Amino acid sequence: MTITLEAIAYKTAKRGIMKPAFCANVTLERGVENDIFGRPGKRQVTVMSKQQWQTVCQQINADLDWLTRRANLLISGYEFSAADVGKIISIGAELKLQITGETDPCKKMQQAHPGLEQALTPDWRGGVTCRVIQAGLIQPDDSVNIDL
């Protein structure tokens, strides 16, 4: 199955709204262009699976926009698990991200919709945290590869 970048988003302020982007320059210094949390470290870029998000929405019986999750990147065609830590996500021609861990759901998810935090908790449904290891310009419909 083909893995594809579905969407890109960033936030310019803590607790700010997520802003969708038609393309983004992702760098080692700043993560996703304009994102307040893009500084170097283990949580530089967050990535979530469209399929896992759909599972969450079905579980809580709500049709929520993916931006509710507050992740930077949405991919389709892959579901994350603990086995992915250390793997490299390649997006488009240049970008390479290393998976550093699970994106733990926080209280903001419960405030966004009742039951959302609990529904995101099992099976890495909240997505993964990554560090940028090679910068690149990305846009929706870019191909995605995940390998060791």
Side-chain angles (χ1 to χ4, degrees):
M1 181 166 184
T2 308
I3 309 171
T4 307
L5 178 63
E6 292 283 323
I8 306 164
Y10 63 93
K11 57 188 161 292
T12 56
K14 283 186 178 184
R15 293 188 282 288
I17 62 162
M18 293 299 292
K19 300 177 181 188
F22 295 109
C23 66
N25 199 19
V26 183
T27 67
L28 280 74
E29 302 78 28
R30 307 211 26 107
V32 175
E33 198 170 24
N34 300 316
D35 192 86
I36 188 169
F37 295 119
R39 64 189 172 277
K42 290 183 176 182
R43 297 178 52 93
Q44 199 171 16
V45 176
T46 53
V47 185
M48 67 180 256
S49 156
K50 182 177 182 179
Q51 285 72 20
Q52 286 170 300
W53 179 246
Q54 289 169 336
T55 299
V56 167
C57 290
Q58 287 168 358
Q59 184 175 324
I60 61 172
N61 200 21
D63 185 18
L64 300 175
D65 190 291
W66 81 278
L67 296 172
T68 308
R69 180 61 189 106
R70 306 179 66 74
N72 295 124
L73 306 178
L74 179 69
I75 66 167
S76 64
Y78 192 83
E79 295 192 14
F80 293 107
S81 73
D84 292 320
V85 174
K87 289 184 180 178
I88 304 299
I89 302 174
S90 302
I91 304 174
E94 299 170 331
L95 182 63
K96 293 195 184 319
L97 306 172
Q98 183 175 37
I99 298 173
T100 57
E102 182 176 11
T103 309
D104 296 316
C106 65
K107 298 292 179 228
K108 289 186 192 103
M109 297 300 101
Q110 199 56 29
Q111 293 161 4
H113 193 278
L116 183 56
E117 182 182 3
Q118 188 177 4
L120 283 163
T121 302
D123 305 321
W124 290 54
R125 292 179 189 163
V128 294
T129 56
C130 301
R131 86 166 39 94
V132 179
I133 56 173
Q134 184 176 306
L137 182 66
I138 57 171
Q139 61 190 23
D141 294 327
D142 275 350
S143 64
V144 176
N145 287 302
I146 300 174
D147 46 42
L148 290 171

